Amino acid sequence: MKYDVVVIGGGPSGLMAAITAGQNGAKTLLIEKGKKLGRKLAISGGGRCNVTNVLPDEELIDHIPGNGRFLYSPFSTFNNQSIIDYFESLGVNLKEEDKGRMFPVSDSAKTVVQTLLKELDRYNIDTLMEAKVDAVHYGDELHQITVDGHEKINTSCVVIAAGGKSVPHTGSEGQGYAWAKKAGHTITKLYPTEVPMTSNEPFIVNRDLQGISLRDVSITAFKPNGKPIKTHRWDLIFTHQGVSGPAALRLSQYVVKALDQFNVDTITCEIDTFPDRSEDELTQWLLEQSKNNPNKSIKQAWKELVPERYLLHLFDLADLSPMQTYHHLEKRKVIDFVNKLKHFSFKLNGTLSIEKAFITGGGISLKEIVPNEMASKLMDRLYFCGEILDIHGYTGGFNITAAFSTGHVAGMNAAWKALSNK
Ligand SMILES: Cc1cc2nc3c(=O)[nH]c(=O)nc-3n(C[C@H](O)[C@H](O)[C@H](O)COP(=O)(O)OP(=O)(O)OC[C@H]3O[C@@H](n4cnc5c(N)ncnc54)[C@H](O)[C@@H]3O)c2cc1C
């Protein structure tokens, strides 16, 4: 078997690379070890397929803290708007949701995946399913791919789109890094990102706050010297192991890096439950609430403030009895309580594993990749795209945008190269 382009991995980056290679006239094969293509794509955005994010390029890149700036070049060829136009031109209507996230109007991942599968057919792209690539052998004229239980496949160009190490049941188990290393590439340190964080504070171990969600709060991680590292604002949930929810997931990579950088066991973080209200404002408001309900306990009078178990926990921290009424309320203690509301501080000791993370941080070093081609600088006719690269963004369509964009550029350049060598 001989191809112009072989793409390894049928996630969003590999699907886009194969389609674009086929579109550009290359005889293309897509190899996928699973039974289905686009499994991780299908479970993104809560199973509705978060195809991209509509933010302008500059902001999009700000939401890709793992080397987003590298993407200026691939985005100049194929960016979020290109993804939107691409799907809409194929009849997939998209809608914008909060924070710029784009979803199919059908709310079904199937619509997106089926459309990509039809595109594979349209450009006569061969697919080899349930085919696990074992090795890639690089040659002067042709590269050769060894697939478990199949005859060897020769190809002019190879695109490695095998994903990271996270959520391995979707197929991405990190095998692609070895093929990149074999070509001389450096793999930067891999670490979990967009991952729930853990804590061994007694209130977590005792599950006092487990299941409580806080809406639109901010959470900040601090260096050991007390200086803030990063703040994220969004929803947060207390779990049986620590904290999760979008604000915590976004903060997680900074905590992972700080634990490593400062060689410490814990990093302090702080929740501001009301980021838009000052301590004075909150104190006045609480005092008024009590004054207007003088016979009600503060537990009753302030019950709208935050979920009850969280309220009771903060009462405890501020040494405030939940049953007292306005007549016995000491302003000094209300101020202390408000301080806890604005600066609820606790220690994080790590995160769940890379396998449980939404995204893998680190990957193939970008110094060794030509950004406008996604070609290897070290091996002729070798291309990379998607999460296997040292690029990671927040969830919200940013990783998928990076995957489609780098996939498009890799597929196009691999096809051009293969055809120009004929
Ligand atoms: C639950 C969840 C939700 C997410 N939500 C979002 C979100 O809302 N927004 C966002 O931007 N990102 C999200 N992501 C991340 C996003 O889905 C990934 O970044 C993206 O899928 C990466 O695309 P990829 O093509 O590089 O790799 P993958 O999608 O991981 O695809 C890699 C493919 O390569 C195949 N493969 C691997 N090794 C071999 C081999 N040896 N032989 C053959 N095939 C092989 C795998 O089977 C897999 O199909 C989410 C991830 C998860 C797990």
Side-chain angles (χ1 to χ4, degrees), residues 9 11-13 32-33 45 50 133 171 175 359 386-387 396-400:
S13 69
E32 166 55 48
K33 76 166 186 239
N50 183 188
V133 171
Q175 281 154 343
I359 319 285
E387 203 177 309
F398 305 104
N399 299 284
I400 292 167

Side-chain angles (χ1 to χ4, degrees), residues 152-285:
K152 291 197 165 65
I153 299 160
N154 293 306
T155 181
S156 174
C157 293
V158 60
V159 179
I160 298 181
K165 279 192 87 170
S166 304
V167 193
H169 76 83
T170 61
S172 49
E173 293 176 299
Q175 281 154 343
Y177 301 120
W179 314 326
K181 267 192 195 163
K182 194 172 164 193
H185 283 277
T186 314
I187 312 300
T188 64
K189 190 172 179 181
L190 304 178
Y191 55 92
T193 77
E194 301 295 297
V195 61
M197 298 189 282
T198 56
S199 167
N200 58 8
E201 292 274 2
F203 75 90
I204 295 289
V205 176
N206 299 333
R207 304 184 176 203
D208 295 342
L209 301 180
Q210 185 185 345
I212 289 181
S213 295
L214 300 176
R215 299 255 166 261
D216 195 23
V217 298
S218 70
I219 177 165
T220 304
F222 292 90
K223 290 180 187 174
N225 68 4
K227 289 208 169 125
I229 302 170
K230 187 81 187 170
T231 300
H232 270 293
R233 181 168 172 176
W234 204 346
D235 303 340
L236 190 113
I237 182 164
F238 292 98
T239 69
H240 63 294
Q241 286 161 305
V243 280
S244 189
L249 293 177
R250 287 188 169 196
L251 194 71
S252 61
Q253 63 179 293
Y254 301 96
V255 171
V256 170
K257 286 181 194 155
L259 285 164
D260 193 41
Q261 184 190 343
F262 300 109
N263 196 19
V264 287
D265 293 332
T266 58
I267 286 291
T268 300
C269 79
E270 203 175 270
I271 295 172
D272 180 349
T273 322
F274 291 97
D276 291 332
R277 296 173 78 176
S278 70
E279 293 191 30
D280 273 356
E281 243 181 283
L282 281 163
T283 307
Q284 289 315 318
W285 187 80

Side-chain angles (χ1 to χ4, degrees), residues 338-384:
V338 168
N339 183 270
K340 304 289 180 229
L341 265 182
K342 294 282 290 174
H343 307 277
F344 176 37
S345 171
F346 57 99
K347 289 182 171 22
L348 295 163
N349 63 357
T351 66
L352 300 188
S353 66
I354 196 164
E355 286 76 19
K356 295 216 163 98
F358 283 78
I359 319 285
T360 298
I364 297 170
S365 170
L366 300 172
K367 289 185 192 137
E368 300 157 357
I369 308 290
V370 186
N372 61 348
E373 295 177 9
M374 299 314 298
S376 161
K377 288 183 183 170
L378 309 179
M379 178 63 70
D380 203 21
R381 295 169 287 108
L382 171 63
Y383 299 80
F384 296 101

